Amino acid sequence: MVANELRNSNLLHLEDVYQAYGDHVVLDDIDLSVAHGELVTVVGPSGAGKSTLLRLILGQELPSSGEILVSGEPVGFADPSRGIVYQKYSLFPNMSVLDNVTLGKRLELSFFQWQKRKIAIIDEAMHYLEKVGLNSHSKKYPHELSGGMRQRVAVVQALIKRPKILMMDEPFGALDPGTREDLQIFLLELWEETDMTIFFVTHDLEEAAYLGSRLIVLSQHYSDDRGDGPGVQRGAKIVADHILSRSNLSTDVKYTKGFGKLIARIRREGFDPQHRQHIREFDLKHPHSFRTNTVEEVRCK
Ligand SMILES: Nc1ncnc2c1ncn2[C@@H]1O[C@H](COP(=O)(O)OP(=O)(O)OP(=O)(O)O)[C@@H](O)[C@H]1O
Ligand SMILES: [Mg+2]
């Protein structure tokens, strides 16, 4: 599909997006289009700009240049249609689980609106808490919960706003491997049930390859025709865009040969500073992957 078709039909569309801080180019001409219902995992070396990309999609920052559309509309600031879950649980220690979960809604409403809708909102919160197995813990305070439980509360906190896109920035990064795997399965079940679009940043390649329906590699390790002269400022690009398929939720797939091969490939494509693919060789096989001309290419014409 070409960029224009994708722009009109997909939920999220980024075109020619650059982000620089001073003369430090972080994101270098990002073209990305995501259909409704995808679970996009994003990996890349530390400092590649994964969190920056997330902040741009959330509308917390404006890009230096380029376009970011959600449902065809330019992203606005502080739009609740994009929920977010961070690595560090954003729970208030002096509030119960239920109060933490309903706080977002309470802040959005006037006193009278809240009184009117309170029962329905609490019912909804309890429904989500039940989904994540925490309904019997709703009166507890965060310090009475394990790390995995707190992170599940943080997911509910985001879900209750019914975001069009759930943005997750290393949400399971602080958890032990067993809890992490439990939450991976929980997220997949939730995704299958709710038909939600999820954008999930992680350091862990195994996690990305297991969870994603689509896996994107963002990296600053590549080459192009700009050379490596002192004036060249090169930021990260999407160097690979894989479509992934999963037949069931079993984590056994992590121990298969194909899975190991994919991870080795991603490590080489995105994480090895010595392995610099030319931009023409990027592995962009996903059907929604597209590339417009870079500023440099336009200049050279
Ligand atoms: N507000 C800012 N001002 C200046 N530089 C910034 C700002 N935000 C991010 N950066 C720089 O942008 C680069 C990318 O940062 P970012 O946090 O997006 O990377 P990341 O891929 O999420 O890394 P990590 O895997 O370590 O979380 C870094 O070099 C960082 O220092
Ligand atoms: Mg980050």
Side-chain angles (χ1 to χ4, degrees):
M1 268 199 262
V2 289
N4 262 343
E5 272 177 61
L6 292 167
R7 150 202 293 270
N8 294 326
S9 60
N10 272 350
L11 176 62
L12 174 68
H13 189 84
L14 285 80
E15 203 167 315
D16 302 332
V17 170
Y18 287 80
Q19 182 66 328
Y21 299 103
D23 58 5
H24 177 196
V25 182
V26 176
L27 297 174
D28 197 321
D29 195 27
I30 302 295
D31 292 323
L32 171 66
S33 206
V34 176
H36 172 86
E38 287 220 67
L39 200 173
V40 183
T41 49
V42 182
V43 294
S46 187
K50 303 179 293 296
S51 299
T52 301
L53 182 63
L54 225 82
R55 287 198 303 276
L56 293 177
I57 297 172
L58 280 164
Q60 290 176 346
E61 270 178 50
L62 285 175
S64 307
S65 63
E67 234 184 344
I68 304 177
L69 307 173
V70 175
S71 305
E73 299 287 329
V75 291
F77 283 107
D79 185 337
S81 69
R82 283 147 280 141
I84 182 146
V85 183
Y86 294 104
Q87 176 175 351
K88 285 216 184 101
Y89 354 91
S90 45
L91 306 183
F92 289 101
N94 55 341
M95 290 171 79
S96 70
V97 165
L98 184 63
D99 286 345
N100 262 295
V101 168
T102 53
L103 180 68
K105 291 249 177 174
R106 218 179 314 164
L107 293 176
E108 272 170 28
L109 301 175
S110 70
F111 177 77
F112 293 108
Q113 283 172 323
W114 166 249
Q115 289 302 327
K116 219 167 120 191
R117 294 184 47 199
K118 190 174 162 182
I119 292 175
I121 291 170
I122 289 176
D123 273 358
E124 193 184 6
M126 289 306 291
H127 165 75
Y128 279 119
L129 286 172
E130 188 173 353
K131 239 182 203 173
V132 303
L134 289 177
N135 46 332
S136 60
H137 300 275
S138 65
K139 293 201 174 81
K140 287 192 177 158
Y141 287 83
H143 74 269
E144 297 175 279
L145 305 177
S146 71
M149 287 162 137
R150 278 182 237 169
Q151 200 55 333
R152 274 182 279 166
V153 177
V155 173
V156 172
Q157 229 178 16
L159 280 182
I160 201 165
K161 294 180 196 149
R162 298 180 185 266
K164 274 191 197 156
I165 311 178
L166 181 64
M167 311 289 288
M168 307 181 93
D169 197 354
E170 313 220 16
F172 307 151
L175 305 175
D176 66 82
T179 310
R180 188 171 190 151
E181 199 157 88
D182 288 347
L183 284 202
Q184 288 171 358
I185 296 169
F186 152 70
L187 184 70
L188 283 177
E189 285 170 351
L190 204 69
W191 177 63
E192 290 191 346
E193 259 176 64
T194 56
D195 187 31
M196 206 172 20
T197 308
I198 303 179
F199 205 85
F200 187 105
V201 170
T202 176
H203 260 121
D204 184 335
L205 299 187
E206 197 184 77
E207 180 166 80
Y210 171 64
L211 284 180
S213 62
R214 177 175 184 179
L215 194 166
I216 283 169
V217 185
L218 192 68
S219 176
Q220 60 277 59
H221 306 313
Y222 61 89
S223 73
D224 54 26
D225 298 334
R226 283 179 267 182
D228 281 319
V232 177
Q233 287 284 336
R234 188 182 284 126
K237 281 184 184 295
I238 294 174
V239 304
D241 189 349
H242 298 279
I243 186 163
L244 305 175
S245 59
R246 183 186 315 104
S247 51
N248 57 49
L249 298 185
S250 167
T251 51
D252 291 349
V253 66
K254 293 184 183 178
Y255 309 102
T256 61
K257 215 170 158 187
F259 193 83
K261 252 175 142 172
L262 175 67
I263 286 177
R265 187 162 151 204
I266 294 167
R267 196 164 278 134
R268 196 174 57 246
E269 286 169 343
F271 289 76
D272 179 0
Q274 309 303 322
H275 182 88
R276 289 179 179 260
Q277 291 184 101
H278 192 276
I279 51 171
R280 280 189 296 270
E281 296 159 0
F282 287 170
D283 194 356
L284 304 173
K285 290 206 198 70
H286 192 283
H288 289 184
S289 193
F290 72 100
R291 288 256 307 274
T292 55
N293 285 326
T294 62
V295 169
E296 293 73 24
E297 283 162 348
V298 172
R299 245 187 244 137
C300 293
K301 273 189 176 171

